[in-house]
Amino acid sequence: MSSLFNINFEDSPSTHFLSSVRLRARTYELQESNVLLKLTVVKTVGFGDQVNKADSYQPIVDYIDAQFEAYLEEELKVIRSLFSYHDTRIHVCLYFISPTGRSLKTIDLLTMRSLDSKVNIIPVIGKADSISKTDLQEFKKKIMSELVSNGIRIYQFPTDDETVSEINTITNGYLPFAVVGSMEKVKIGNKMVRARQYPWGIVKVENESHCDTIKLRRMLCTNMEDLKEKTRAYYELYRRCRLEKLGCRDISPENKPVSLQEVIEAKRLEFCLEMERKEEEIEQRFVQKVNEKAAMLEEAEQQVLTKFERLTLMHQEEELKLGEKKKLLEDEIAQFIEKKAITVSIQSQVPVSTPVVSLKTQGLQKMSKTLGVNSSLLLNLWRNAEV
């Protein structure tokens, strides 16, 4: 770009490790003689650097559509100022092709096929000094053949204007342009020229026998208005599709002209009906959910009541069982107390009679030994005698 406009555009180098393609736009104000030009350069940072390149072109397409949409919004305003509006629509796309000498990459074909209906594409072979002239000519033919076979439309310089017909016809034969860029100046003879210096020689940027940079610059300047006209055609196509999606029509189904007011009124009525339908649908869905929730709560309440009644019966049964056990324990306590009282009364009488019984028992045992009679028998006879 610096070589094309002969101005050093200061720009920081871009990284090649981005996860997706990003577009970076910078606007410059250039002046040559009395002509003031506002130039916007949009760089596709990270294009082709990802492992998965399937959707690398999508951010570029979205950016171009966004510029069309911004212009359409300005155009549809009640109070608009298109004269002072900064037009950011893309008028030309310089698509750089690697000088491999083989063929176009798949990503190149996919990208140009996606862009050819939205922007003027001019294919450019970058770093053309890295390939021989013979291989370069063959590479150009192969590129044009692949573009035609894949149905990709690139920008052709117009030949219908007699003033530029001849030069444009010749220049179309140079497509794609093979360019070399450099801002370094090398002294050749008595002149300082912009060139790239190698051990084997010097490549002059502004020498048409070395590269096509000057041809590209000349054709962009000569056909600038045509590029703008083609961009307007692409914009009109976008505008028509966009308004048709919004429901705008120039002719009714009865093939009658439709005014914008009728279209807006019909669209408003359609929108109101749609809103009413959605509101009714939402209300029905809400009522249905409320009924379902009420049924669930009622079922849960019934389950709680059933569980409460079951627990109440279980509690009453447990109370009866505990009552019976309590009564049994009270009876056993009463019996125990009665037995204890009897035992205490017996124990209170035992110490007085025990010595007499023991003495009697000892005496009877001695007597039974003397007489040779059983002591038990003597004891029974003794008790009967006492009675």
Side-chain angles (χ1 to χ4, degrees), residues 56-265:
S56 295
Y57 62 87
Q58 194 58 47
I60 306 172
V61 174
D62 294 340
Y63 182 86
I64 295 173
D65 287 344
Q67 309 318 305
F68 285 154
E69 185 68 22
Y71 193 86
L72 177 62
E73 289 178 359
E74 180 65 25
E75 193 179 49
L76 293 177
K77 286 182 179 179
V78 176
I79 302 176
R80 57 185 182 178
S81 55
L82 293 177
F83 180 75
S84 60
Y85 176 74
H86 177 47
D87 189 3
T88 58
R89 294 176 295 180
I90 308 299
H91 296 99
V92 62
C93 171
L94 299 178
Y95 193 92
F96 283 83
I97 301 170
S98 300
T100 59
R102 294 187 294 271
S103 61
L104 290 172
K105 299 177 183 177
T106 305
I107 186 175
D108 296 330
L109 295 172
L110 289 174
T111 304
M112 284 192 277
R113 186 183 292 121
S114 301
L115 297 177
D116 66 353
S117 61
K118 298 177 180 292
V119 68
N120 301 306
I121 300 176
I122 298 179
V124 175
I125 301 174
K127 300 180 180 180
D129 53 344
S130 62
I131 186 172
S132 66
K133 286 190 174 182
T134 305
D135 292 339
L136 182 61
Q137 295 304 319
E138 292 295 327
F139 190 37
K140 284 187 174 185
K141 292 178 182 178
K142 190 177 295 184
I143 289 174
M144 295 304 294
S145 175
E146 289 185 356
L147 292 175
V148 172
S149 61
N150 286 275
I152 298 172
R153 301 185 303 273
I154 63 173
Y155 177 74
Q156 295 286 333
F157 298 103
T159 58
D160 52 355
D161 189 354
E162 295 181 356
T163 57
V164 293
S165 175
E166 184 177 355
I167 188 172
N168 282 353
T169 303
I170 296 172
T171 307
N172 284 331
Y174 287 105
L175 290 172
F177 293 112
V179 299
V180 176
S182 175
M183 293 303 292
E184 297 180 3
K185 290 190 175 182
V186 179
K187 188 174 183 180
I188 301 177
N190 296 325
K191 287 185 177 182
M192 296 294 292
V193 296
R194 288 188 296 120
R196 297 180 69 89
Q197 191 169 11
Y198 296 97
W200 46 263
I202 296 174
V203 179
K204 298 178 184 177
V205 174
E206 297 180 346
N207 190 332
E208 294 190 33
S209 62
H210 290 186
C211 63
D212 299 331
T213 305
I214 295 299
K215 294 184 181 69
L216 177 59
R217 179 199 295 171
R218 183 170 56 244
M219 298 316 297
L220 288 176
C221 295
T222 304
N223 299 280
M224 187 180 295
E225 288 302 321
D226 185 69
L227 289 169
K228 290 183 177 181
E229 286 297 327
K230 290 288 179 64
T231 303
R232 291 191 191 98
Y234 291 132
Y235 167 72
E236 288 298 326
L237 178 62
Y238 174 85
R239 178 179 177 275
R240 186 184 69 187
C241 296
R242 190 77 175 86
L243 292 178
E244 285 179 353
K245 284 183 180 179
L246 294 175
C248 298
R249 297 287 188 276
D250 292 333
I251 300 176
S252 65
E254 295 80 14
N255 292 327
K256 295 181 180 179
V258 180
S259 65
L260 182 60
Q261 184 178 358
E262 292 177 352
V263 172
I264 294 175
E265 183 63 26

Side-chain angles (χ1 to χ4, degrees), residues 353-364:
S353 58
T354 300
V356 177
V357 174
S358 61
L359 291 173
K360 289 179 181 179
T361 304
Q362 291 178 1
L364 290 173

